[in-house]
Amino acid sequence: MPPHCDSLDGPVVAAARAALDAHDVALALPFVPEDAEAEVRATFDRVLSARNQSEASREVADRLFFETVVRLHRAGEGAPYTGLRPAGLSVGPVIPLAEKAIEEGSADELLGFLEDALRDELRARLEVVRSLAAEKGDSVEAARSYVEAMLGYEVYTNHLYEALRSTEHHEAGAHAHHG
Protein backbone atom coordinates (compact mmCIF):
# COMPACT_ATOMS: atom_id res chain seq x y z
CA MET A 1 0.00 0.00 0.00
CA PRO A 2 1.73 3.19 -1.12
CA PRO A 3 0.28 5.70 1.37
CA HIS A 4 2.15 5.54 4.65
CA CYS A 5 -0.35 6.70 7.24
CA ASP A 6 0.24 3.52 9.23
CA SER A 7 4.05 3.52 9.24
CA LEU A 8 6.33 4.70 12.01
CA ASP A 9 7.76 7.37 9.72
CA GLY A 10 4.43 8.43 8.24
CA PRO A 11 2.61 11.69 8.83
CA VAL A 12 0.20 10.34 11.47
CA VAL A 13 2.93 8.99 13.75
CA ALA A 14 4.99 12.14 13.13
CA ALA A 15 2.07 14.23 14.38
CA ALA A 16 1.54 11.93 17.37
CA ARG A 17 5.25 12.10 18.21
CA ALA A 18 5.20 15.91 17.94
CA ALA A 19 2.14 16.01 20.22
CA LEU A 20 3.94 13.96 22.87
CA ASP A 21 7.15 15.98 22.60
CA ALA A 22 5.27 19.28 22.88
CA HIS A 23 2.75 17.98 25.44
CA ASP A 24 0.06 19.27 23.07
CA VAL A 25 -2.54 16.72 21.96
CA ALA A 26 -3.93 19.23 19.45
CA LEU A 27 -1.01 18.43 17.16
CA ALA A 28 -2.38 14.91 16.63
CA LEU A 29 -6.09 15.70 16.53
CA PRO A 30 -6.28 16.82 12.88
CA PHE A 31 -5.41 13.27 11.86
CA VAL A 32 -8.46 11.69 13.50
CA PRO A 33 -12.17 12.29 12.96
CA GLU A 34 -13.95 14.51 15.45
CA ASP A 35 -15.82 11.59 17.02
CA ALA A 36 -12.46 10.00 17.96
CA GLU A 37 -11.10 13.07 19.72
CA ALA A 38 -12.18 12.02 23.21
CA GLU A 39 -10.37 8.68 22.94
CA VAL A 40 -7.21 10.36 21.68
CA ARG A 41 -7.31 12.90 24.51
CA ALA A 42 -7.88 10.22 27.16
CA THR A 43 -5.05 8.05 25.82
CA PHE A 44 -2.78 11.09 25.57
CA ASP A 45 -3.33 11.97 29.24
CA ARG A 46 -2.60 8.40 30.37
CA VAL A 47 0.46 8.19 28.14
CA LEU A 48 1.93 11.46 29.41
CA SER A 49 1.92 10.24 32.99
CA ALA A 50 3.26 6.78 32.06
CA ARG A 51 6.14 8.30 30.06
CA ASN A 52 7.70 9.64 33.26
CA GLN A 53 8.15 6.22 34.92
CA SER A 54 11.16 4.88 33.00
CA GLU A 55 12.62 4.68 29.51
CA ALA A 56 10.86 1.34 28.97
CA SER A 57 7.56 2.86 30.14
CA ARG A 58 8.11 5.78 27.80
CA GLU A 59 8.63 3.47 24.81
CA VAL A 60 5.53 1.40 25.60
CA ALA A 61 3.41 4.48 26.29
CA ASP A 62 4.54 6.21 23.10
CA ARG A 63 3.77 3.09 21.08
CA LEU A 64 0.29 2.94 22.61
CA PHE A 65 -0.37 6.54 21.63
CA PHE A 66 0.94 6.00 18.08
CA GLU A 67 -1.21 2.90 17.68
CA THR A 68 -4.29 4.67 19.02
CA VAL A 69 -3.94 7.66 16.71
CA VAL A 70 -3.19 5.53 13.65
CA ARG A 71 -6.03 3.10 14.45
CA LEU A 72 -8.52 5.94 14.78
CA HIS A 73 -7.15 7.66 11.68
CA ARG A 74 -7.58 4.46 9.66
CA ALA A 75 -11.08 3.93 11.05
CA GLY A 76 -11.96 7.45 9.98
CA GLU A 77 -10.86 6.53 6.46
CA GLY A 78 -13.02 3.42 6.56
CA ALA A 79 -9.85 1.31 6.37
CA PRO A 80 -8.83 -1.54 8.65
CA TYR A 81 -6.09 -1.09 11.20
CA THR A 82 -3.53 -3.87 10.81
CA GLY A 83 -0.86 -2.50 13.11
CA LEU A 84 2.01 -0.09 12.74
CA ARG A 85 4.34 -0.74 9.86
CA PRO A 86 8.07 -0.18 10.33
CA ALA A 87 9.81 2.97 9.16
CA GLY A 88 11.72 2.94 5.92
CA LEU A 89 9.33 0.93 3.78
CA SER A 90 9.04 1.97 0.16
CA VAL A 91 6.04 4.13 -0.56
CA GLY A 92 6.71 4.08 -4.28
CA PRO A 93 7.75 7.02 -6.43
CA VAL A 94 4.61 9.16 -6.18
CA ILE A 95 4.33 9.87 -2.42
CA PRO A 96 7.81 11.44 -2.16
CA LEU A 97 7.07 13.58 -5.21
CA ALA A 98 3.71 14.63 -3.73
CA GLU A 99 5.41 15.49 -0.43
CA LYS A 100 8.03 17.51 -2.31
CA ALA A 101 5.28 19.34 -4.23
CA ILE A 102 3.59 20.25 -0.95
CA GLU A 103 6.87 21.43 0.60
CA GLU A 104 7.94 23.47 -2.44
CA GLY A 105 4.51 24.64 -3.57
CA SER A 106 5.02 23.31 -7.09
CA ALA A 107 3.53 20.22 -8.70
CA ASP A 108 5.72 20.42 -11.82
CA GLU A 109 7.98 17.45 -11.04
CA LEU A 110 5.03 15.31 -9.88
CA LEU A 111 3.01 16.31 -12.91
CA GLY A 112 5.85 15.38 -15.26
CA PHE A 113 6.26 11.98 -13.61
CA LEU A 114 2.53 11.24 -13.74
CA GLU A 115 2.22 12.46 -17.34
CA ASP A 116 5.03 10.14 -18.42
CA ALA A 117 3.61 7.18 -16.50
CA LEU A 118 0.09 7.76 -17.85
CA ARG A 119 1.30 8.25 -21.42
CA ASP A 120 3.38 5.05 -21.30
CA GLU A 121 0.59 2.99 -19.74
CA LEU A 122 -2.15 4.21 -22.10
CA ARG A 123 0.04 3.62 -25.15
CA ALA A 124 1.09 0.13 -24.01
CA ARG A 125 -2.48 -0.92 -23.27
CA LEU A 126 -3.72 0.52 -26.56
CA GLU A 127 -1.02 -1.38 -28.43
CA VAL A 128 -2.34 -4.63 -26.94
CA VAL A 129 -5.86 -3.71 -28.11
CA ARG A 130 -4.56 -2.86 -31.60
CA SER A 131 -2.60 -6.10 -31.93
CA LEU A 132 -5.64 -8.13 -30.86
CA ALA A 133 -7.85 -6.15 -33.27
CA ALA A 134 -5.73 -7.38 -36.15
CA GLU A 135 -6.54 -10.98 -35.20
CA LYS A 136 -10.15 -10.63 -34.04
CA GLY A 137 -11.56 -12.04 -37.29
CA ASP A 138 -9.53 -15.25 -37.02
CA SER A 139 -11.78 -17.00 -34.49
CA VAL A 140 -14.37 -16.47 -31.79
CA GLU A 141 -11.62 -16.92 -29.20
CA ALA A 142 -9.54 -14.19 -30.86
CA ALA A 143 -12.58 -11.93 -31.02
CA ARG A 144 -13.26 -12.50 -27.32
CA SER A 145 -9.65 -11.62 -26.49
CA TYR A 146 -10.02 -8.42 -28.47
CA VAL A 147 -13.33 -7.51 -26.81
CA GLU A 148 -11.87 -8.17 -23.35
CA ALA A 149 -8.86 -5.96 -24.06
CA MET A 150 -10.94 -3.24 -25.76
CA LEU A 151 -13.47 -3.06 -22.92
CA GLY A 152 -10.67 -3.32 -20.37
CA TYR A 153 -9.00 -0.30 -21.97
CA GLU A 154 -12.21 1.71 -21.84
CA VAL A 155 -12.92 0.73 -18.22
CA TYR A 156 -9.31 1.50 -17.24
CA THR A 157 -9.53 5.00 -18.73
CA ASN A 158 -12.86 5.58 -17.01
CA HIS A 159 -11.39 4.52 -13.65
CA LEU A 160 -8.52 6.95 -14.23
CA TYR A 161 -10.97 9.74 -14.91
CA GLU A 162 -13.01 8.90 -11.80
CA ALA A 163 -9.83 8.82 -9.71
CA LEU A 164 -8.91 12.26 -11.03
CA ARG A 165 -12.30 13.59 -9.94
CA SER A 166 -12.35 11.82 -6.57
CA THR A 167 -12.43 13.95 -3.43
CA GLU A 168 -11.38 11.11 -1.14
CA HIS A 169 -7.75 10.80 -0.09
CA HIS A 170 -7.78 7.09 0.59
CA GLU A 171 -8.99 4.21 -1.56
CA ALA A 172 -11.41 3.11 1.15
CA GLY A 173 -12.05 6.64 2.40
CA ALA A 174 -15.21 7.34 4.31
CA HIS A 175 -14.57 11.00 5.05
CA ALA A 176 -12.70 13.80 3.36
CA HIS A 177 -10.25 15.02 5.99
CA HIS A 178 -6.70 14.90 4.70
CA GLY A 179 -3.80 13.32 6.54
Side-chain angles (χ1 to χ4, degrees):
M1 156 176 136
H4 55 302
C5 292
D6 60 351
S7 68
L8 286 169
D9 58 352
V12 180
V13 171
R17 188 179 322 269
L20 290 172
D21 291 344
H23 294 186
D24 183 2
V25 70
L27 298 174
L29 294 178
F31 287 88
V32 299
E34 189 175 345
D35 63 357
E37 187 173 319
E39 184 176 349
V40 171
R41 286 181 182 280
T43 303
F44 183 80
D45 291 342
R46 289 192 320 266
V47 163
L48 280 184
S49 63
R51 292 178 96 214
N52 297 327
Q53 304 304 312
S54 68
E55 185 58 34
S57 295
R58 180 184 185 100
E59 288 176 19
V60 171
D62 287 4
R63 180 80 181 206
L64 172 65
F65 188 63
F66 300 159
E67 290 175 347
T68 300
V69 176
V70 170
R71 175 178 51 80
L72 294 170
H73 172 81
R74 300 282 294 160
E77 294 176 322
Y81 174 67
T82 57
L84 291 177
R85 295 186 309 150
L89 296 176
S90 173
V91 294
V94 175
I95 296 295
L97 290 173
E99 289 173 338
K100 184 176 179 183
I102 292 165
E103 290 170 15
E104 296 178 359
S106 172
D108 291 347
E109 189 175 352
L110 175 60
L111 183 59
F113 177 85
L114 291 173
E115 285 173 342
D116 291 345
L118 177 60
R119 184 180 306 105
D120 293 348
E121 190 64 29
L122 288 175
R123 286 180 176 159
R125 287 173 182 250
L126 183 58
E127 184 53 39
V128 169
V129 173
R130 290 173 43 89
S131 70
L132 291 171
E135 302 168 3
K136 70 181 180 181
D138 294 352
S139 68
V140 172
E141 183 179 311
R144 282 188 182 121
S145 293
Y146 165 75
V147 168
E148 183 178 328
M150 179 263 302
L151 292 176
Y153 187 79
E154 292 174 2
V155 168
Y156 176 76
T157 59
N158 187 62
H159 286 314
L160 286 171
Y161 179 77
E162 289 174 355
L164 290 170
R165 299 294 177 235
S166 173
T167 60
E168 296 183 11
H169 76 281
H170 188 275
E171 63 273 5
H175 61 81
H177 84 86
H178 296 284

